[in-house]
Amino acid sequence: MRSDHRPHWIRLLMGAAVACALVSSLAACSATDQPDTTALRSALTSGDFSKVRLNGASAEQVGTEYSAIVAGLGKITPSVKIDAPKIDDDKASLRVHWSWPVGNGDWTYTSTVKATKKSDTWYVDWSASVIQPDLDAGDVLRRTTKAPPRADILGGDGQALVTSRPVVIFGIDKSHVTPEQAVTSAAALARLVKVDAKDFAARVSGGGTKQFVEAITYRKQEAPSTAELADIPGALAISSTMQLGPYRGFAGPVLGSVGPVTAEIMEKNPGTYRATDTVGLSGLEQRYDSDLRGVAGVQISRVPKSGDPVKLFTAEPKPGEPLKTTLDQRLQTLAEASLRDIGPASALVALRPSDGAILAAANGPGTGSFDAALNGQVPPGSTFKMFDTLALLRAGMTADSKVDCTAEAVVDGYRFVNDSWYPKSAIGKISLKTAIGHSCNTAMINARSTIGDVAAAAQSLGFGIGTIPGTDSFAGEIPKAASETEAAADVIGQGKVLASPVVMAAGIASIQAGHTVLPVLFPSQPAKLPDSVKPLTADEAKQLKDIFRQPVVDGTAVGLKSVPGAPVIAKTGTAEFTRDGKTMVHAWMVAAQDDLAVAVFVDTGSSGADTAGPIAKRFLTGAQSH
């Protein structure tokens, strides 16, 4: 065995270093002989004291006390910083800086931790005041919140579209009746307020013993009389307010709805919401929820075992930011009225060509909660010929250039024909203007080698560029054709071409405005034409405007000829598809007059002219009434 000839004082220092390496957490063996704050800071953040040496208490006891004290603050984690300790012989004092994220501002303060050294090891002297200096043993902390008023969604004129409106909530208060009586009363109340009696009774039966179970919420002016409630034990009608549009369903799929936070939303956003919060559940209300709902006010209190709570911290609510849209309440109402009697899914979008502002984005009752106006993805039929026509103009054609409108066009064995009502007198070599007026399918198919880059032409008319800023809208797409047959179908708006009503409205709006129009829903988020897109020129638009006047003068959109006021330009669209083994058609109409452009879509109909045309006429005519 080799002897160690190093000096005695060096051997002593090395032994001390080995001993220090074996001491955990607050064990002191540093060069300055002071407590190590790392484990303590971790414990005060997490509540796990297993790595902290404690004086006179176990890690389990302290962890339990810590959890009880902070449980009332909710699922929030503090930030903790600890200053270097002040040491006096075998005693140490450490200042702890706390910061809790509690809504509109952080709750910050400083507490003190004492430590005692025993046998060269430091131990924390635990007390509730370590967590908060005002706490005594047995005290706990409690956070209460106060929600700010939810901000409104505004129209283009700055007036509120969705705002706080009075409502009446009907339900059964189970705290005032026996469980058996509650179920009996639920059936009676259901009959009065016209909800499903079986479903409501089941919800009442399954609710808590003292719960108020809502049956239905009415706008105040629509609520039934409350006089009969006196005869129904436990029945209540509670006056309240809710964020609502001017009438039931107003722009519902677009603007969305507000209601109690769901378990799913809370799970997806841990720590963001409390069970009592009201949040946006769909549409713009959901997308812009964090802006609209603002930040809740917070009060932190010390709650003793007995006696009244003592306020420690208060932060006032921060109001939400109103969301301004371009929607016009009058035109939105008119658009929805124009679709009111349409059974199949339907949508109507109106734009202002001069700046692309979306004035109306309406969905008919058959559409349900889906926003087909901005997000629909269906073949546009012959409204797609707007893009074909621009491509042909760029290829050197004019309105009077001849195209070959044959009775049929066969591509790789597939036979394309015109619609059954197509006039025989317009078969043969006809002008491009006439072909568009009567919507000759075969002329576009026969000219497809001349059309060239129809996708680029479509972009010049606002199609396929990108979503509307601030939304998840569908911009339209023209996938690369997998065959000649598919390419032929594409040029007449079928095949794999997909469009939404809003992008087809942008197409006709561009022609009307004389420049590329990109739809805009928020004035604060304007759309920008990418540098890669060739803008529509004024000369191109002038030719297109002349060509797309023809369907109204003597063609498939002649039904719009009697619309009063300035001349109307338009294009119909009829797109065949198969559903449940049956061949059906989507009906389209796009039209523009003055500084107003409209696209109408109906999921199933007889034709664009017969099904979508009257809706467009109703809207354009009504829009002129102020």
Side-chain angles (χ1 to χ4, degrees):
M1 182 175 182
R2 296 178 60 185
S3 60
D4 191 343
H5 299 290
R6 285 171 290 190
H8 176 68
W9 62 271
I10 292 179
R11 293 200 303 273
L12 287 176
L13 285 178
M14 290 180 65
V18 171
C20 282
L22 299 176
V23 178
S24 64
S25 303
L26 294 179
C29 285
S30 65
T32 56
D33 188 31
Q34 65 182 25
D36 180 0
T37 60
T38 301
L40 178 59
R41 183 173 64 84
S42 175
L44 295 178
T45 301
S46 68
D48 179 4
F49 288 80
S50 61
K51 295 182 179 179
V52 177
R53 291 186 181 274
L54 296 160
N55 189 21
S58 70
E60 184 178 1
Q61 290 172 327
V62 173
T64 300
E65 183 179 357
Y66 177 97
S67 297
I69 290 172
V70 304
L73 297 180
K75 295 181 179 180
I76 55 175
T77 302
S79 295
V80 175
K81 294 181 180 179
I82 303 178
D83 291 345
K86 293 182 179 180
I87 300 174
D88 183 8
D89 196 16
D90 61 351
K91 298 290 183 181
S93 176
L94 304 92
R95 289 175 61 82
V96 182
H97 302 275
W98 295 80
S99 180
W100 295 84
V102 288
N104 186 19
D106 291 340
W107 178 34
T108 59
Y109 57 87
T110 301
S111 67
T112 301
V113 179
K114 301 291 186 182
T116 302
K117 185 168 69 172
K118 298 178 182 180
S119 301
D120 293 329
T121 300
W122 288 99
Y123 294 85
V124 167
D125 300 329
W126 177 257
S127 71
S129 63
V130 171
I131 299 176
Q132 207 285 330
D134 294 324
L135 295 180
D136 295 325
D139 291 353
V140 297
L141 297 171
R142 182 174 68 195
R143 175 174 62 148
T144 55
T145 60
K146 181 181 179 182
R150 190 175 180 87
D152 297 340
I153 296 181
L154 312 177
D157 59 1
Q159 297 300 305
L161 299 178
V162 178
T163 189
S164 179
R165 302 182 194 272
V167 298
V168 180
I169 306 170
F170 289 84
I172 297 294
D173 185 354
K174 295 183 67 176
S175 66
H176 288 79
V177 290
T178 66
E180 295 77 13
Q181 181 61 65
V183 174
T184 302
S185 294
L189 180 60
R191 289 191 294 271
L192 176 64
V193 298
K194 297 180 174 57
V195 299
D196 185 281
K198 185 177 180 180
D199 173 72
F200 182 50
R203 288 193 288 116
V204 169
S205 177
T209 56
K210 296 185 178 182
Q211 183 180 349
F212 174 78
V213 184
E214 178 185 340
I216 191 171
T217 298
Y218 278 95
R219 292 169 184 262
K220 185 176 181 179
Q221 67 272 23
E222 299 173 356
S225 170
T226 60
E228 295 181 48
L229 294 185
D231 298 327
I232 305 176
L236 289 181
I238 302 173
S239 295
S240 184
T241 60
M242 286 183 67
Q243 291 295 111
L244 298 170
Y247 57 82
R248 184 182 297 274
F250 177 85
V254 177
L255 300 181
S257 62
V258 176
V261 66
T262 64
E264 182 182 8
I265 292 175
M266 292 185 69
E267 186 177 340
K268 287 182 178 179
N269 303 274
T272 301
Y273 301 104
R274 295 172 70 87
T276 55
D277 283 347
T278 296
V279 301
L281 299 175
S282 60
L284 298 184
E285 289 284 5
Q286 182 181 57
R287 184 182 182 93
Y288 292 93
D289 181 67
S290 59
D291 298 320
L292 291 165
R293 66 187 174 89
V295 181
V298 175
Q299 181 173 298
I300 307 294
S301 302
R302 174 176 69 87
V303 183
K305 282 185 175 179
S306 61
D308 297 328
V310 178
K311 182 170 62 177
L312 300 177
F313 171 80
T314 300
E316 294 301 319
K318 180 182 178 182
E321 291 290 331
L323 179 65
K324 186 173 183 180
T325 72
T326 58
L327 294 176
D328 181 293
Q329 182 174 330
R330 183 181 72 87
L331 292 180
Q332 179 71 30
T333 301
L334 174 61
E336 291 176 347
S338 299
L339 298 174
R340 186 174 297 139
D341 299 327
I342 306 303
S346 59
L348 187 157
V349 174
L351 302 183
R352 186 164 54 219
S354 57
D355 60 6
I358 299 174
L359 304 176
N363 292 276
T367 314
S369 60
F370 177 63
D371 179 14
L374 304 186
N375 293 288
Q377 299 185 31
V378 291
S382 289
T383 56
F384 189 84
K385 290 171 185 172
M386 292 187 291
F387 314 140
D388 295 336
T389 304
L390 176 56
L392 289 170
L393 293 180
R394 288 178 173 176
M397 285 193 175
T398 68
D400 296 323
S401 295
K402 299 300 181 182
V403 292
D404 191 11
C405 181
T406 54
E408 63 178 40
V410 179
V411 180
D412 287 346
Y414 188 90
R415 180 172 171 267
F416 291 91
V417 296
N418 297 310
D419 291 318
S420 58
W421 55 85
Y422 189 85
K424 292 181 180 179
S425 59
I427 293 292
K429 297 288 185 181
I430 59 174
S431 69
L432 176 59
K433 178 192 282 191
T434 300
I436 293 300
H438 292 298
S439 198
C440 181
N441 291 334
T442 58
M444 297 299 108
I445 292 170
N446 292 331
R448 66 187 184 282
S449 61
T450 306
I451 289 176
D453 193 351
V454 71
Q459 288 185 328
S460 298
L461 293 174
F463 183 98
I465 293 176
T467 59
I468 300 165
T471 77
D472 294 322
S473 59
F474 181 63
E477 62 180 33
I478 309 172
K480 186 176 181 180
S483 66
E484 277 299 306
T485 303
E486 195 172 285
D490 286 349
V491 298
I492 57 172
Q494 304 219 181
K496 292 185 178 179
V497 174
L498 296 174
S500 61
V502 70
V503 298
M504 300 314 291
I508 199 71
S510 299
I511 295 171
Q512 181 74 357
H515 60 259
T516 303
V517 171
L518 299 180
V520 173
L521 186 57
F522 307 105
S524 62
Q525 300 183 54
K528 184 180 182 299
L529 189 68
D531 293 339
S532 60
V533 176
K534 180 180 179 181
L536 179 69
T537 68
D539 181 63
E540 289 170 339
K542 183 178 179 181
Q543 295 181 72
L544 289 170
K545 200 168 184 179
D546 176 50
I547 292 169
F548 284 90
R549 173 63 177 159
Q550 190 62 28
V552 180
V553 172
D554 180 27
T556 56
V558 72
L560 301 183
K561 192 173 183 179
S562 60
V563 173
V568 177
I569 61 171
K571 184 68 191 79
T572 54
T574 304
E576 287 189 354
F577 67 99
T578 301
R579 181 180 294 164
D580 298 328
K582 297 180 180 179
T583 299
M584 311 174 85
V585 299
H586 299 307
W588 287 85
M589 172 73 85
V590 295
Q593 182 185 40
D594 287 330
D595 202 13
L596 184 64
V598 60
V600 175
F601 162 75
V602 181
D603 182 51
T604 57
S606 57
S607 69
D610 293 337
T611 304
I615 300 171
K617 181 178 181 179
R618 192 180 315 150
F619 180 80
L620 290 173
T621 302
Q624 299 181 45
S625 304
H626 293 281

